[in-house]
């Protein structure tokens, strides 16, 4: 039951990744990882099938290790709520190359669509801002998505956070590989690191 | 007789030994949850030009952070207390799945003269929790064995991708004493 005027998640993620160049993208456990795969598999896609709540911190570790590389976390509202403390950790470290986009459908789509805290109580933009992430945006239009996608490549002006209101339509699952070691080593290989 | 007499009243050198080992293994990211037992090591890390100390809001953040660090080519070590190990359990599942080098140094509470019963349940199960989660456990019980234990732990964690926790025993650190 999608509300009117909310954005289509696949269109949002396709737009975020359309001109990704050298960016590394990390998808959260759930539909955001499927959305990333639907936009096209990529050697620099970090798909999460577990470790709920960890997407933003994986992004932080990667962003600190590779400060000149754009690092983009694309996750859901439920996953972000579980790791909300990581916004404070990121606000403290201020990695200028890290961007986080939350696909907020105000529901736990993977588990039957239960209502999430963002529907009536939690304002993730407010949380991110209050945690020291100055560039925290509420996004409701595709023009704003496009502007954020462009900003991701400015690795001197982050960290930045966008909460994108999407509709809650259930979409066909496009499943990426579930082999975690392959996923991680593929990224390392693409960044030029040899196997141990 | 204070339980901490053999530790707190003599400036301990073992944190310097740990720091030297971490430097030797080119550890770059050091996530931590503030902890008295790790206080000296944390100060060494924060003063270091090659390591980055990263305060966390909860220990599980550190596990995910180290996965990202390795994806980006850097090694890290997670500093925490035994009570924080319980906060990590689900995130520890990333380690065998992603197969990244994992080393954590855990200061122990809930043993050897503990005065606070609330620390005992987690302190008693720390080793078991790690082992059930696929993390090998080494222990240092006195200052003299810290260098060898750290060398072994760092070597197997970083060179053999064997997830490893070093328990720094409360006997080493000194039981915490609160005076009224």
């Amino acid at each position: 039951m999608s509300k009117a005027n909310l954005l289509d998640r696949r269109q949002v993620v396709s737009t975020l990744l359309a001109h990704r160049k050298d960016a590394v993208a990390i998808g959260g456990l759930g539909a955001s990882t499927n959305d990333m795969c639907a936009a096209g598999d990529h050697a620099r896609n970090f798909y999460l099938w577990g470790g709920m709540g960890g997407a933003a911190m994986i992004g932080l570790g990667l962003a600190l290790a590779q400060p000149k590389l754009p690092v983009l976390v694309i996750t859901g509202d439920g996953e972000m709520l579980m790791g909300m403390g990581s916004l404070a950790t990121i606000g403290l470290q201020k990695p200028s190359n890290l961007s986080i986009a939350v696909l907020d459908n105000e529901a736990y789509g993977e588990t039957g669509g239960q209502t999430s805290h963002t529907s009536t109580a939690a304002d993730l933009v407010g949380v991110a801002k209050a945690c020291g992430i100055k560039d925290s945006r509420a996004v409701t239009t595709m023009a704003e998505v496009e502007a954020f996608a462009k900003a991701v490549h400015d690795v001197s002006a982050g960290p930045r956070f966008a909460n994108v209101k999407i509709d809650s339509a259930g979409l066909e699952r496009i499943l990426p590989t579930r082999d975690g070691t392959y996923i991680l080593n593929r990224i390392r290989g693409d960044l030029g690191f040899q196997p141990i | 007789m204070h339980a901490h007499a053999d530790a707190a009243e003599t400036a301990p050198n073992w944190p310097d030994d740990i720091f030297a080992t971490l430097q030797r293994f080119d550890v770059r990211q050091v996530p931590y949850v503030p902890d008295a037992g790790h206080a000296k090591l944390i100060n060494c890390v924060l003063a270091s030009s090659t390591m980055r100390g990263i305060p966390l809001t909860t220990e599980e953040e550190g596990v995910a952070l180290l996965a990202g660090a390795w994806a980006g080519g850097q090694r890290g070590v997670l500093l925490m207390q035994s009570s924080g190990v319980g906060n990590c359990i689900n995130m520890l599942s990333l380690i065998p799945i992603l197969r990244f080098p994992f080393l954590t140094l855990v200061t122990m509470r809930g043993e050897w003269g503990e005065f606070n019963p609330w620390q005992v349940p987690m302190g008693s199960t720390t080793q078991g929790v790690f082992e059930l989660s696929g993390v090998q456990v080494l222990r240092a019980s006195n200052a003299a064995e810290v260098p060898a234990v750290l060398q072994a732990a760092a070597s197997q964690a970083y060179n053999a991708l064997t997830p490893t926790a070093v328990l720094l025993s409360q006997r080493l650190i000194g039981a915490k004493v609160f005076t009224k």
Side-chain angles (χ1 to χ4, degrees):
Chain A
M1 263 132 316
S2 54
K3 299 177 195 170
N5 300 321
L6 291 171
L7 302 177
D8 174 82
R9 57 185 312 141
R10 294 269 157 90
Q11 205 187 338
V12 169
V13 174
S14 298
T15 302
L16 288 173
L17 295 174
H19 305 290
R20 61 183 295 164
K21 289 175 268 189
D22 54 350
V24 179
I26 297 139
L29 166 60
S32 52
T33 267
N34 301 340
D35 297 335
M36 271 174 42
C37 186
D41 188 33
H42 195 284
R44 297 193 180 192
N45 277 0
F46 199 140
Y47 305 115
L48 286 191
W49 285 83
M52 186 165 172
M57 288 304 296
I58 290 176
L60 176 61
L62 227 164
L64 293 178
Q66 293 287 332
K68 290 179 181 159
L69 202 65
V71 176
L72 170 62
V73 175
I74 302 173
T75 190
D77 49 315
E79 209 271 353
M80 194 68 250
L81 284 164
M82 192 174 279
M84 213 152 71
S86 60
L87 293 174
T89 300
I90 289 162
L92 192 60
Q93 296 302 316
K94 297 202 171 15
S96 59
N97 56 330
L98 178 63
S99 304
I100 299 170
V102 173
L103 307 173
D104 181 9
N105 61 0
E106 306 182 354
Y108 292 86
E110 286 293 295
T111 54
Q114 297 88 349
T115 301
S116 99
H117 303 56
T118 60
S119 65
T120 51
D123 165 19
L124 287 173
V125 176
V127 172
K129 205 168 273 184
C131 285
I133 302 175
K134 281 184 194 157
D135 183 350
S136 294
R137 317 174 184 191
V139 170
T140 55
T141 68
M142 282 311 295
E144 289 167 327
V145 173
E146 279 163 27
F148 190 78
K150 205 171 167 191
V152 163
H153 294 280
D154 182 354
V155 296
S156 63
R160 56 182 72 81
F161 180 93
N163 195 70
V164 186
K165 288 290 184 183
I166 58 163
D167 71 42
S168 57
L171 300 175
E172 182 198 354
R173 288 184 179 153
I174 310 292
L175 304 181
T177 172
R178 299 187 295 279
D179 184 338
T181 307
Y182 169 76
I183 293 163
L184 186 141
N185 284 338
R186 187 168 65 153
I187 294 169
R188 279 176 51 84
D190 208 61
L191 293 176
F193 298 110
Q194 302 300 313
I196 67 153
Chain B
M1 178 73 190
H2 294 283
H4 69 314
D6 62 341
E9 287 168 12
T10 56
N13 290 323
W14 55 265
D16 299 316
D17 295 329
I18 294 176
F19 182 69
T21 305
L22 298 178
Q23 272 188 314
R24 216 161 50 244
F25 277 86
D26 193 28
V27 169
R28 304 292 295 279
Q29 296 193 29
V30 188
Y32 67 90
V33 173
D35 168 58
H38 277 313
K40 187 175 180 189
L41 177 58
I42 289 168
N43 284 339
C44 291
V45 168
L46 293 176
S48 162
S49 59
T50 58
M51 292 183 203
R52 187 177 186 125
I54 303 163
L56 309 171
T57 70
T58 178
E59 292 81 355
E60 63 179 310
E61 289 177 8
V63 180
L65 179 97
L66 295 186
W70 180 244
Q74 288 192 343
R75 292 171 173 173
V77 63
L78 171 58
L79 309 183
M80 60 176 156
Q81 194 183 84
S82 46
S83 51
V85 176
N87 294 344
C88 294
I89 295 173
N90 182 43
M91 212 58 83
L92 291 173
S93 69
L94 294 182
I95 299 166
I97 291 294
L98 296 170
R99 209 159 158 267
F100 62 95
F102 181 75
L103 177 64
T104 182
L105 310 181
V106 182
T107 56
M108 292 301 294
R109 294 289 307 271
E111 59 174 32
W112 192 259
E114 177 63 62
F115 88 105
N116 179 358
W118 299 56
Q119 291 285 351
V120 176
M122 194 61 231
S124 305
T125 56
T126 295
Q127 179 158 354
V129 165
F130 273 133
E131 287 172 350
L132 283 170
S133 303
V135 178
Q136 286 196 9
V137 177
L138 303 179
R139 176 181 275 268
S141 296
N142 59 66
E145 67 184 5
V146 166
V149 171
L150 255 291
Q151 171 68 30
S155 184
Q156 69 186 41
Y158 298 126
N159 295 335
L161 294 181
T162 302
T164 301
V166 174
L167 308 189
L168 300 163
S169 79
Q170 190 149 298
R171 189 172 188 181
L172 166 71
I173 295 154
K176 194 166 185 170
V177 175
F178 284 91
T179 50
K180 284 185 183 174

